[in-house]
Amino acid sequence: MLEQEAVTARGIAEAMQAMSCRAVGIAAQDLAGGIDLLKEIQDKQKLNWLSMNLVDGTTNQTIFAPSVDTRIGSINITILGLTDERTDPGKDAGYTILPWQEVLPEVVANVDTRADMIILLSSYPDTINKEITRTVQGIDLILESAHGASNQPPRKVEDTLLARVGAQGKYVGMMRINWTDAGQWGQNFSEQIRAEQNRLDRITWQIGRMEKRDQEKDLKIDGRYQRLLVTKEKSVQKIKQLKETRAHATGEPCSFTNRFIGLKSSMPEDREIQAIIDQTTREVNRLNRKRIRNTNTQQHFSIDTLAGWQKCQECHPKQTAFWQTTDHSRSLKTLEQAEQQFNEDCLLCHVTLPYYDAARVKSEKLLLQLSQSLKNVGCESCHGPAAAHSRQPESIRLVNPDQKICTGCHTPDHDDNFIFADKIREVRCPRE
Ligand code: HEC
Ligand code: HEC
Ligand code: HEC
Ligand code: HEC
């Protein structure tokens, strides 16, 4: 993690504290600076980090609080934090993230008795949160951390409401919730009945078609036909049941309204927050100037340290075949299509280089020395220069790329939605 990211993290935490934020769920990207940075922020900025499944690597105890209880009016609310475990923290990180299945059901069962409402802050993507709603009962609201650029209005899945505000902090989401004694979101019975009726119509049609086509005695021993009859009966019962529940529904169900508020367009600047942002920006710029001065004096890598993907293919055909299915292998073609293949400002991130510092690449005229096999985002853009490894693979080892390598090219200017944990899955080479 760069020092500048730590500075940014502290700035964000300070701003959240100024906004009296009650709790923050820990997501994989929050861990980039290590546990100690989070602890420091918790102590200094008084930010409540929550995670029930982030545990100490040796003791298996949670490192931060799994939940926080709060009371609004007469309603007891418990807020839970859950961290996406599918990023490998590595052996030396000192912590482990347990999969949700091992932790969540028990935690929810324990708070269910004391809380009127349970809110889960989850950094898992939408598909897994949906699975959670189907497996774990008792969670009333899941607030997803942003895995996509777009806002996602609250939707009811099973008995849980799923909501998310898009990445980048362009919007805040505001929900007004009317939580009644029913303790459950209202059901839309008419919708459910209509869906079930459609299903029943389809089944009835299939049955009718089989009856027209086949002999009665054949149908008696036709497994598919018999199964359809059973399904039809179940569907009829379900509709009956839904209609009965609708007739007997009493009391006012819980309800909500939702709004996304565009920050640029509809909120005045807040002086206190603006001062925090300005201070953070100045500090980040200071660090960047220092970093640039340092890199200018760093060791020299020449283009000869690169072997090019065709060399790698000789010994790693499987990974090469995979790489050829990714857009990285076509990145020069992309520039050609935009007629920018000679533009040095564009080539920088669309080819394979020993390093990606624009000023140095230019001053050493590296872009004029590229062989055909380096004219794409190749193996060595991620694994580092590997000419030496290609000659002596057993003694000279390579690294697997971390987030820092990707964000050298996937900068906010060129990829405004880069989430390492998601994107790495699309480009990770297969194992031997
Ligand atoms: C002459 C054959 C050969 C060539 C050429 C070669 N490799 Fe390897 N590579 C190996 C072998 C063998 C291993 C496994 C080493 C071991 O496990 O002892 C390996 C391992 C690796 C690994 C796993 C990490 C490690 O070091 O164990 C990566 C990543 C890798 N190679 C990438 C590359 C890339 C990128 C290129 C092209 C620039 C390349 N290799 C060229 C033979 C080769
Ligand atoms: C040398 C610069 C560079 C590096 C390093 C780099 N990328 Fe990319 N990446 C690109 C460019 C350029 C494209 C667009 C390619 C195109 O469409 O022509 C791209 C495209 C992608 C895509 C869309 C590709 C697809 O096949 O759908 C993903 C996902 C991605 N990169 C993930 C990563 C990850 C994860 C890392 C780090 C492990 C990484 N990239 C490292 C430059 C880079
Ligand atoms: C700092 C690195 C960087 C530079 C410089 C850069 N690109 Fe890219 N470019 C990327 C990355 C990363 C992606 C993949 C973005 C994604 O997957 O969303 C990409 C994707 C693209 C794409 C395909 C996706 C799209 O947005 O349509 C085009 C076209 C493209 N770049 C053109 C250019 C041109 C033209 C220039 C020069 C003006 C340029 N790039 C300079 C990193 C860079
Ligand atoms: C966008 C980044 C990226 C690019 C480009 C890339 N790799 Fe990889 N590669 C990875 C990652 C990430 C892993 C780690 C997989 C893991 O941890 O299981 C990996 C793993 C490997 C391994 C080790 C597999 C094993 O058995 O553990 C080899 C070998 C390898 N890559 C070769 C290549 C070759 C050859 C190319 C080019 C043709 C290439 N890679 C291009 C990201 C990349």
Side-chain angles (χ1 to χ4, degrees):
M1 163 114 147
L2 296 168
E3 207 183 336
Q4 74 174 73
E5 290 173 293
V7 170
T8 313
R10 286 189 199 103
I12 293 173
E14 198 177 328
M16 283 178 142
Q17 206 266 332
M19 295 185 274
S20 344
C21 170
R22 250 178 245 198
V24 183
I26 300 175
Q29 56 267 37
D30 299 318
L31 290 163
I35 295 287
D36 290 340
L37 178 63
L38 296 192
K39 283 190 179 154
E40 179 210 301
I41 288 174
Q42 175 152 293
D43 293 343
K44 287 216 183 106
Q45 272 87 20
K46 301 275 173 286
L47 201 67
N48 247 332
W49 292 111
L50 299 183
S51 177
M52 67 177 79
N53 58 336
L54 174 67
V55 299
D56 187 287
T58 41
T59 64
N60 244 10
Q61 299 291 312
T62 50
I63 301 176
F64 295 93
S67 68
V68 57
D69 291 342
T70 174
R71 202 175 155 85
I72 299 180
S74 60
I75 296 169
N76 294 318
I77 298 175
T78 296
I79 306 173
L80 305 171
L82 183 66
T83 307
D84 186 347
E85 98 281 1
R86 294 159 314 145
T87 35
D88 182 8
K91 283 188 286 296
D92 307 323
Y95 64 85
T96 314
I97 307 175
L98 303 172
W100 63 270
Q101 292 92 333
E102 287 180 24
V103 187
L104 185 64
E106 200 186 318
V107 170
V108 172
N110 282 339
V111 293
D112 208 13
T113 47
R114 66 169 191 266
D116 300 314
M117 181 183 203
I118 299 180
I119 301 178
L120 175 68
L121 308 175
S122 166
S123 69
Y124 279 104
D126 197 55
T127 41
I128 294 193
N129 291 329
K130 281 203 197 114
E131 202 184 320
I132 288 176
T133 64
R134 282 190 286 270
T135 334
V136 186
Q137 259 136 42
I139 304 170
D140 299 300
L141 175 62
I142 298 183
L143 296 176
E144 307 183 325
S145 72
H147 273 274
S150 59
N151 292 329
Q152 172 76 67
R155 294 149 301 153
K156 194 164 160 254
V157 185
E158 303 297 323
D159 289 327
T160 307
L161 208 58
L162 270 176
R164 132 184 134 205
V165 183
Q168 311 261 310
K170 291 187 179 120
Y171 291 87
V172 278
M174 187 170 84
M175 288 177 71
R176 279 182 190 284
I177 294 175
N178 180 18
W179 198 248
T180 65
D181 290 340
Q184 262 199 353
W185 301 109
Q187 292 202 52
N188 192 337
F189 287 110
S190 312
E191 183 98 347
Q192 286 180 46
I193 291 170
R194 184 155 5 100
E196 192 57 43
Q197 186 65 52
N198 281 342
R199 195 164 153 249
L200 177 60
D201 290 347
R202 265 198 319 276
I203 299 166
T204 313
W205 179 82
Q206 279 172 314
I207 290 175
R209 207 172 58 144
M210 288 180 91
E211 285 172 346
K212 217 184 249 163
R213 207 181 45 202
D214 299 330
Q215 297 288 336
E216 203 175 318
K217 65 173 182 352
D218 293 339
L219 286 175
K220 274 215 178 97
I221 51 163
D222 185 329
R224 189 167 113 80
Y225 178 74
Q226 296 300 330
R227 275 195 300 279
L228 277 173
L229 289 183
V230 174
T231 316
K232 180 179 172 184
E233 183 51 29
K234 277 196 190 142
S235 181
V236 170
Q237 288 305 327
K238 185 156 179 205
I239 291 172
K240 204 170 129 209
Q241 205 180 32
L242 281 168
K243 283 186 175 159
E244 268 169 23
T245 329
R246 176 171 62 181
H248 295 110
T250 52
E252 187 194 357
C254 304
S255 60
F256 67 92
T257 57
N258 178 69
R259 214 148 66 90
F260 292 111
I261 304 172
L263 283 176
K264 269 240 155 60
S265 53
S266 47
M267 298 280 268
E269 290 297 355
D270 180 292
R271 280 254 193 94
E272 186 187 357
I273 305 286
Q274 193 58 48
I276 296 171
I277 294 172
D278 292 344
Q279 168 64 30
T280 306
T281 314
R282 274 197 299 275
E283 179 66 4
V284 165
N285 288 345
R286 189 186 65 77
L287 286 168
N288 270 326
R289 281 192 287 270
K290 193 169 111 196
R291 181 176 59 83
I292 289 166
R293 277 198 303 276
N294 289 344
T295 42
N296 285 340
T297 57
Q298 261 170 19
Q299 112 199 60
H300 174 92
F301 284 115
S302 79
I303 210 93
D304 310 333
T305 58
L306 299 169
W309 69 268
Q310 279 158 327
K311 186 76 202 163
C312 320
Q313 187 178 33
E314 292 171 15
C315 303
H316 300 297
K318 186 172 167 189
Q319 288 79 13
T320 307
F322 167 76
W323 169 76
Q324 285 171 323
T325 67
T326 69
D327 287 346
H328 284 141
S329 72
R330 291 182 285 273
S331 52
L332 188 72
K333 184 129 254 145
T334 301
L335 288 186
E336 282 168 6
Q337 278 157 359
E339 304 208 22
Q340 296 293 333
Q341 69 272 34
F342 299 111
N343 185 339
E344 295 199 351
D345 292 337
C346 305
L347 278 170
L348 184 69
C349 309
H350 284 249
V351 299
T352 310
L353 291 167
Y355 46 81
Y356 288 89
D357 176 332
R360 284 179 74 204
V361 168
K362 224 171 220 169
S363 78
E364 301 195 4
K365 300 193 167 37
L366 294 186
L367 291 168
L368 303 175
Q369 306 171 41
L370 297 174
S371 67
Q372 200 54 35
S373 175
L374 296 172
K375 288 188 175 168
N376 278 305
V377 177
C379 324
E380 292 157 291
S381 302
C382 285
H383 293 292
H389 164 85
S390 300
R391 288 188 294 268
Q392 293 172 289
E394 266 84 21
S395 54
I396 298 179
R397 312 304 293 262
L398 297 176
V399 290
N400 286 329
D402 59 10
Q403 173 156 1
K404 226 185 299 174
I405 290 188
C406 320
T407 51
C409 298
H410 288 262
T411 58
D413 282 352
H414 294 270
D415 186 352
D416 63 2
N417 186 29
F418 186 81
I419 294 165
F420 180 72
D422 290 348
K423 296 290 169 101
I424 190 73
R425 274 179 242 147
E426 293 177 36
V427 295
R428 183 186 277 149
C429 302
R431 299 204 169 227
E432 281 308 334

